[in-house]
Amino acid sequence: MSQVNEHHHAPSTPGKLKPEKSPYNHRLRIHSSLSKLTLWSSFFLAFILFLFILSPPSPSASPRRSLGDSWGGPHWEKRVAKSARRSSPSSLSVLVTGAAGFVGSHVSLSLKRRGDGVLGIDNFNRYYDPALKRARQRLLDRAGVFVVDADLNDAALLRKLFDVVPFTHVMHLAAQAGVRYAMQNPQSYIHSNIAAFINLLEASKSANPQPSIVWASSSSVYGLNSKVPFSEKDRTDQPASLYAATKKAGEEIAHSYNHIYGLSITGLRFFTVYGPWGRPDMAYFFFTKDILKGKQIAIFESPDGGTVARDFTYIDDIVKGCLGALDTAKKSTGSGGKKKGPAQFRVFNLGNTSPVPVTELVAILEKLLKVKAKKKVLPMPTNGDVKFTHANISLAHRDLGYRPTTDLETGLRKFVKWYLEFYSKKTSW
């Protein structure tokens, strides 16, 4: 877990209490500082949980289902068990949440290809075109991955899944994404990023055996941090958006379940993931769409006139990091909701560690699409976006063997190829 940097307290007045005469003086200052940190962290978490209690599920983002509408019965259980079946005793059995999403579909396919058992779950919400999610679902179905159509807030469903399958791991990728959308529909972030996560952790801690959990946090937790590159040790107590605040809250909640119930938990802070089958709300995606349609695109600059830059990370590199986290995750130490010993808790940055200005992204797309973009430079809106992101990946490199290898132009070339094929309907998706 990342630690909050603290300013040192001013020294005592010279000539009064000398350190060698008062060995408890330094300890008292540390205790006072830690007490303040704990107090503010408690206030932050309490505020997020307060929003959760007051906020009803969002109808626009999470379609409601009646219990039993889309799951249950012998045939359904057989499909679940078959999909999650491992090819060998050394393989994993993984529950992938958000499996019909961008990262979730790629991770699910990679796990299945190497012989792991994979069961997906997704609520197919309407944050962006569900048709794209259904296309990914068909791709997964062909590979032998069954995706349960349900919401993680359905506690009875999760209990049933853990009854049917003794999962070794959970890859939690389901979330309400997007920084700007939080200003339109804040309740959906509480519903998906906090309530659903807690529900999943509750099911996991009560399972026997308990699975190891790897989940997607976000680079957004670094918020207004100005120190670059962003390190896991940097402060993350200044979120610039509600999305970032819910991801930060998720990290704190994960730590509490690790500490209390012995769940092995690894958080992954993704940095601007892009590639084929990506999300339409991401700049590289809608820039491509608008450039091809001859529409004007907005390029934002920071208040000081500086260039906005992102640490764009290709999907295949992210998948390698996810699999590395799963493969190195130690077993949870609890059983049936009772902790039997300390459990592993980790947080890693997964980025490309090569920030690229958005203007360069547009130039590459112009080259690949062979179309000149109609650009309009605008000041960056105060909607939660940050000026730049830059990942320090030394920890992931050391512990996960994480080595991103795809530069932006190579990755965008693969994305553009997929985009033109998919939207021209030249394939059978």
Side-chain angles (χ1 to χ4, degrees):
M1 193 65 194
S2 59
Q3 300 295 319
V4 178
N5 294 334
E6 297 177 349
H7 296 291
H8 293 296
H9 291 276
S12 301
T13 304
K16 296 271 178 101
L17 295 176
K18 297 183 181 295
E20 60 270 19
K21 293 183 179 180
S22 182
Y24 301 103
N25 190 41
H26 182 60
R27 297 179 190 176
L28 287 172
R29 289 199 299 268
I30 292 176
H31 177 74
S32 175
S33 181
L34 289 175
S35 296
K36 291 177 182 177
L37 176 60
T38 302
L39 178 63
W40 282 110
S41 296
S42 299
F43 282 157
F44 172 75
L45 189 54
F47 173 70
I48 292 295
L49 293 176
F50 176 71
L51 288 177
F52 159 53
I53 293 170
L54 292 184
S55 302
S58 168
S60 63
S62 302
R64 291 190 173 193
R65 295 177 177 84
S66 299
L67 189 64
D69 278 356
S70 59
W71 63 271
H75 176 67
W76 179 86
E77 289 186 20
K78 184 176 180 180
R79 290 191 70 187
V80 166
K82 181 180 179 181
S83 183
R85 188 174 299 132
R86 298 184 278 177
S87 62
S88 70
S90 61
S91 300
L92 310 181
S93 180
V94 188
L95 174 64
V96 180
T97 72
F102 174 30
V103 179
S105 58
H106 280 273
V107 169
S108 296
L109 287 170
S110 294
L111 288 170
K112 197 67 176 180
R113 288 190 190 110
R114 70 178 199 175
D116 295 316
V118 183
L119 178 70
I121 182 170
D122 203 293
N123 70 356
F124 296 90
N125 70 22
R126 296 181 292 275
Y127 169 60
Y128 62 81
D129 186 6
L132 178 56
K133 300 176 185 180
R134 293 296 180 184
R136 297 189 193 116
Q137 181 188 26
R138 291 192 292 272
L139 193 66
L140 291 171
D141 189 60
R142 291 174 194 147
V145 177
F146 176 40
V147 180
V148 178
D149 187 347
D151 194 293
L152 288 176
N153 285 288
D154 189 337
L157 165 70
L158 285 181
R159 286 194 298 270
K160 185 64 176 179
L161 291 179
F162 279 93
D163 285 343
V164 175
V165 180
F167 295 107
T168 62
H169 295 72
V170 171
M171 185 78 224
H172 178 49
L173 296 167
Q176 177 57 64
V179 169
R180 302 171 191 174
Y181 183 62
M183 298 182 73
Q184 302 174 37
N185 191 359
Q187 291 85 1
S188 65
Y189 290 79
I190 308 303
H191 178 80
S192 297
N193 298 358
I194 295 181
F197 190 26
I198 291 175
N199 215 32
L200 180 64
L201 291 171
E202 280 291 305
S204 298
K205 62 98 170 172
S206 300
N208 192 7
Q210 288 180 341
S212 301
I213 298 172
V214 178
W215 74 287
S217 182
S218 169
S219 62
S220 294
V221 299
Y222 291 109
L224 302 178
N225 178 39
S226 58
K227 174 185 169 293
V228 290
F230 299 159
S231 166
E232 293 88 347
K233 295 180 180 179
D234 292 342
R235 64 185 301 174
T236 55
D237 60 349
Q238 299 180 95
S241 66
L242 178 61
Y243 169 70
T246 59
K247 285 297 185 179
K248 172 60 177 175
E251 291 187 353
E252 302 295 342
I253 291 167
H255 185 272
S256 68
Y257 274 79
N258 164 267
H259 174 69
I260 297 170
Y261 300 110
L263 284 172
S264 170
I265 302 180
T266 300
L268 303 176
R269 294 172 177 170
F270 295 161
F271 281 71
T272 317
V273 190
Y274 74 100
W277 296 97
R279 283 185 9 225
D281 65 316
M282 299 293 285
Y284 73 93
F285 200 116
F286 63 73
F287 278 174
T288 298
K289 177 182 178 181
D290 290 344
I291 289 172
L292 288 172
K293 290 187 174 183
K295 294 183 177 180
Q296 188 178 72
I297 62 172
I299 299 178
F300 297 124
E301 64 179 13
S302 62
D304 60 2
T307 302
V308 174
R310 291 289 181 269
D311 198 349
F312 296 102
T313 312
Y314 189 62
I315 182 61
D316 289 357
D317 291 324
I318 289 292
V319 169
K320 291 175 185 176
C322 290
L323 268 57
L326 287 167
D327 291 340
T328 57
K330 294 181 180 179
K331 292 183 178 180
S332 294
T333 63
S335 177
K338 295 183 179 180
K339 178 181 178 180
K340 296 182 179 179
Q344 183 183 56
F345 186 82
R346 307 179 295 174
V347 176
F348 296 104
N349 288 336
L350 293 187
N352 197 48
T353 199
S354 299
V356 177
V358 174
T359 50
E360 186 175 332
L361 165 75
V362 174
I364 294 173
L365 287 175
E366 289 177 320
K367 175 183 175 182
L368 296 172
L369 297 170
K370 297 180 174 60
V371 178
K372 190 68 175 176
K374 297 177 181 178
K375 294 167 280 190
K376 184 176 182 180
V377 179
L378 298 170
M380 189 168 68
T382 56
N383 56 10
D385 275 330
V386 293
K387 179 181 176 181
F388 56 84
T389 58
H390 184 184
N392 178 335
I393 59 172
S394 57
L395 189 61
H397 175 78
R398 185 193 73 187
D399 293 356
L400 309 181
Y402 177 69
R403 297 177 180 83
T405 59
T406 311
D407 64 84
L408 184 59
E409 183 165 350
T410 299
L412 285 177
R413 183 177 293 109
K414 294 178 180 179
F415 165 73
V416 167
K417 182 178 183 294
W418 167 83
Y419 183 94
L420 294 175
E421 290 177 349
F422 184 83
Y423 286 100
S424 64
K425 303 186 185 300
K426 290 182 180 179
T427 67
S428 58
W429 307 127

